[in-house]
Amino acid sequence: MKKYFIRFGKVLGILLALVLVFYAWVEISFYRKAHASYNFPISPGVRVDSSLIERGAHLVQIKGCTDCHGGDLSGRIIEDNFPVGLLVAPNLTPSESGLAHYTLKNWVMALQHGIDPTGRPLKVMPSFETSRLTLEDMSAIISYVNSVPPVENNLPETRLGPVIKVMTKLSDIPMFSVDLIDHEKPLESKPEFENSVELGKYLSVPCTSCHRPDLKGGEAFVPGGLPAPSIASDGRVGTWSVDEFIKTLKTGVRPDGHKLDSTQMPWPMTAKYTEEELSAMYQYFRSVK
């Protein structure tokens, strides 16, 4: 019996040592990535223009900015527990505790390239989505955010816990958008969309984060999350009428009466799309085979 416990102790000790070595590797890798320095040229043509503020106000609603940063964009603590860490959506308002110090270049670097004013990667911020905005729409968002009333809301910085760091290393969690962006691609001027399918594809960029670029869905990025279903023509959307689709994304209730969980499917965000925009998205989803 004594030999058994000795052997068990040795095995346990080896396993513990391996876990510690593995986590040390994760920590070192994460530190190097978080403290890497980048520098990209600023796209010409981005501007602050008061005539774009109304468009920017709509965009921050449908792009999910207010879902994380709050209706007044003053930021909030999203999660605070040891395994996950302290996840903070910063104060975006032009205040001392917010981003009053941000220049136009700083905004472009954040939205188009996913880096902060020091050149380090932004964490959690989905810049891989905003990097695909048109030049006019990026200008509109920047114009609007610079026009909102300043709110003093001092918030701590995001500090990621061990679970998030391990998952980032071993899975497809888009923690650092800088790795997912084509930094050589310039922002395009707003195109004249030839049809609703093209407009729908442009508007649907945020959907690809969960439902994947091919819209076919996939497993959840985080443990406990529900798999993202296909929203292409082979999925449930392919059986709905355009009116049923719009009603579902406006109310969070499917045609079969099922209430969507807003923590899994952000229908309060999609509810802010116009019916014309939702109709275009429906046409695009139906076109994907």
Side-chain angles (χ1 to χ4, degrees):
M1 182 64 71
K2 183 177 180 181
K3 289 182 179 180
Y4 170 79
F5 281 113
I6 291 175
R7 289 175 182 174
F8 178 76
K10 288 181 179 179
V11 171
L12 187 62
I14 292 172
L15 290 175
L16 179 60
L18 290 173
V19 169
L20 291 175
V21 169
F22 167 75
Y23 188 69
W25 171 67
V26 168
E27 279 284 359
I28 292 170
S29 299
F30 194 89
Y31 180 88
R32 286 176 175 172
K33 172 56 66 177
H35 289 79
S37 182
Y38 298 86
N39 184 33
F40 303 106
I42 185 171
S43 290
V46 182
R47 65 195 188 279
V48 174
D49 185 338
S50 60
S51 68
L52 297 174
I53 290 176
E54 183 177 354
R55 170 65 177 170
H58 178 60
L59 287 168
V60 300
Q61 296 284 331
I62 67 174
K63 295 298 180 182
C65 307
T66 54
D67 287 0
C68 287
H69 297 277
D72 61 0
L73 300 182
S74 65
R76 65 188 181 92
I77 293 176
I78 299 173
E79 188 75 39
D80 185 10
N81 65 71
F82 169 69
V84 173
L86 178 64
L87 303 183
V88 181
N91 182 352
L92 301 183
T93 69
S95 62
E96 290 303 313
S97 60
L99 300 184
H101 63 287
Y102 256 46
T103 64
L104 179 61
K105 179 179 180 179
N106 293 154
W107 278 110
V108 175
M109 289 299 105
L111 294 174
Q112 185 183 0
H113 297 292
I115 60 174
D116 68 16
T118 69
R120 290 180 176 176
L122 292 171
K123 305 180 188 75
V124 186
M125 167 67 187
S127 302
F128 56 88
E129 295 179 11
T130 53
S131 69
R132 295 161 66 182
L133 290 167
T134 62
L135 186 151
E136 282 76 12
D137 280 353
M138 183 169 290
S139 296
I141 287 178
I142 295 172
S143 298
Y144 173 71
V145 174
N146 276 280
S147 75
V148 300
V151 179
E152 293 300 340
N153 184 24
N154 288 287
L155 292 166
E157 293 186 3
T158 289
R159 296 191 302 273
L160 300 177
V163 170
I164 292 294
K165 290 179 180 178
V166 170
M167 290 175 59
T168 299
K169 189 65 180 176
L170 299 182
S171 69
D172 295 326
I173 292 180
M175 183 57 61
F176 297 105
S177 284
V178 70
D179 293 332
L180 307 174
I181 296 171
D182 180 359
H183 299 283
E184 300 295 323
K185 185 177 181 180
L187 297 176
E188 298 179 359
S189 293
K190 185 175 182 179
E192 294 296 330
F193 295 107
E194 294 184 2
N195 52 55
S196 58
V197 171
E198 290 184 3
L199 174 60
K201 183 176 182 179
Y202 174 70
L203 293 170
S204 302
V205 169
C207 308
T208 62
S209 295
C210 293
H211 297 280
R212 311 302 196 269
D214 63 0
L215 305 184
K216 300 292 186 177
E219 293 300 317
F221 287 120
V222 296
L226 297 176
S230 172
I231 53 175
S233 59
D234 65 344
R236 184 179 284 112
V237 172
T239 67
W240 294 345
S241 69
V242 63
D243 290 338
E244 289 174 329
F245 176 81
I246 292 173
K247 184 177 180 181
T248 298
L249 270 65
K250 283 284 190 181
T251 66
V253 181
R254 294 192 322 222
D256 61 6
H258 175 78
K259 180 74 172 181
L260 297 175
D261 182 351
S262 62
T263 64
Q264 302 289 335
M265 167 58 197
W267 67 264
M269 179 187 76
T270 60
K272 296 164 186 171
Y273 281 80
T274 66
E275 290 194 6
E276 179 184 3
E277 289 170 332
L278 290 175
S279 178
M281 292 168 65
Y282 173 79
Q283 297 300 330
Y284 171 58
F285 294 163
R286 290 290 296 268
S287 75
V288 179
K289 306 300 182 183

